[in-house]
Amino acid sequence: MAKKKEQNTEETEIQVEKNDQEAQEQASEESTLRDAEVRIAELEKALAESTAKQAETEDRLLRILAEYDNFKKRSAREKEEIHFLAKSDLIGKLLPVFDNFERAQNFSNAEDYAAGVDMIIAQFFQILESLDVRSIAKEGDAFDPNFHEAVLREEKEGAEENTVTEVLQKGYAVGDKVIRHAMVKVSM
C-alpha cells in the first residue's frame, strides 16, 4: 500500500507539474495573444493615421490641380483681353489716318492731294513715334545684318566697304526688337 501511496503521490506530483506546465504554456500563449492583439491595435491605428494622411494629401493635390487649371484659364482669358486691348488701341490710333486717306480721295487738285498725303504720312509717323517705333537704316550707316537685309551690292565711289548706299525699303524696330529689316544696297 505504501507503494501505491508513493505511486499515487508521484502521479499527483506529475499531474501537478503537468498542470503547472500547461498553466505556464497557457499563460505564455495568453501573453503572446495579448502582445499580438496590442500589436494589431497599434498597426490598425497606424493604418488609420496613414489612410487619413493619404486622403488629406489627395485632397490637397486635387485642390492644387483645380487651382492650376483655374490659373491656366484665367491666364488665357487675360492674354486674350490684353491682345484685344492692344489691337483695339492700335486700330483706334490708325483710324484717323484712314479717315484722312478717304478725305484725300475727294481732292481733285493734284497739289492738294499731294499736300494731303504728306500730312497723312506725317500723322502716321507721329502715331509710330507714340508707339516707340523707330525707323532703322539710312544712307551711310555701316551694314548690320541684325537690322539690314542686303539685296544688292554695288561699287560706289567714296563709299567705304559694307556701307549702306541706298535704302530700298525702310526697316522698323521697337526698342531692340526688329519688326521689319531694312532692304538696302551695300557698297563693295
Side-chain angles (χ1 to χ4, degrees), residues 3-164:
K3 212 174 186 186
K4 206 173 183 180
K5 234 183 182 178
E6 250 182 66
Q7 193 179 14
N8 275 345
T9 306
E10 278 182 33
E11 284 178 11
T12 305
E13 285 177 8
I14 291 174
Q15 187 65 32
V16 168
E17 281 181 26
K18 196 176 183 183
N19 286 344
D20 284 346
Q21 191 176 21
E22 285 177 5
Q24 283 178 351
E25 286 176 5
Q26 187 177 3
S28 175
E29 285 177 12
E30 287 175 4
S31 173
T32 303
L33 186 60
R34 278 193 304 273
D35 289 347
E37 287 174 351
V38 168
R39 181 71 180 139
I40 289 171
E42 289 173 354
L43 290 173
E44 285 176 345
K45 182 180 177 184
L47 178 62
E49 288 173 0
S50 178
T51 303
K53 195 180 258 187
Q54 179 186 3
E56 182 183 320
T57 302
E58 283 180 20
D59 183 54
R60 277 195 355 237
L61 178 63
L62 290 174
R63 288 178 189 273
I64 289 170
L65 287 173
E67 286 177 22
Y68 177 69
D69 190 43
N70 290 338
F71 170 76
K72 283 189 343 184
K73 289 176 184 175
R74 186 174 55 250
S75 294
R77 274 194 316 268
E78 289 172 355
K79 182 180 175 184
E80 287 176 14
E81 186 176 329
I82 289 170
H83 185 71
F84 171 77
L85 290 173
K87 279 179 22 178
S88 63
D89 184 49
L90 178 62
I91 291 168
K93 289 179 179 181
L94 292 177
L95 284 177
V97 174
F98 180 73
D99 293 339
N100 288 334
F101 270 120
E102 286 182 331
R103 285 187 198 104
Q105 279 182 325
N106 295 329
F107 289 126
S108 56
N109 181 334
E111 288 178 20
D112 290 341
Y113 180 78
V117 169
D118 287 342
M119 290 184 344
I120 292 170
I121 290 171
Q123 181 183 22
F124 186 74
F125 278 112
Q126 286 175 346
I127 292 170
L128 289 179
E129 284 178 9
S130 73
L131 297 171
D132 294 325
V133 176
R134 64 182 170 87
S135 146
I136 51 177
K138 60 182 182 277
E139 285 186 30
D141 284 351
F143 175 74
D144 184 349
N146 295 318
F147 298 105
H148 308 127
E149 181 179 341
V151 274
L152 295 170
R153 291 186 67 82
E154 69 177 354
E155 287 188 33
K156 189 168 183 181
E157 283 186 36
E160 293 182 29
E161 188 176 340
N162 287 328
T163 301
V164 174

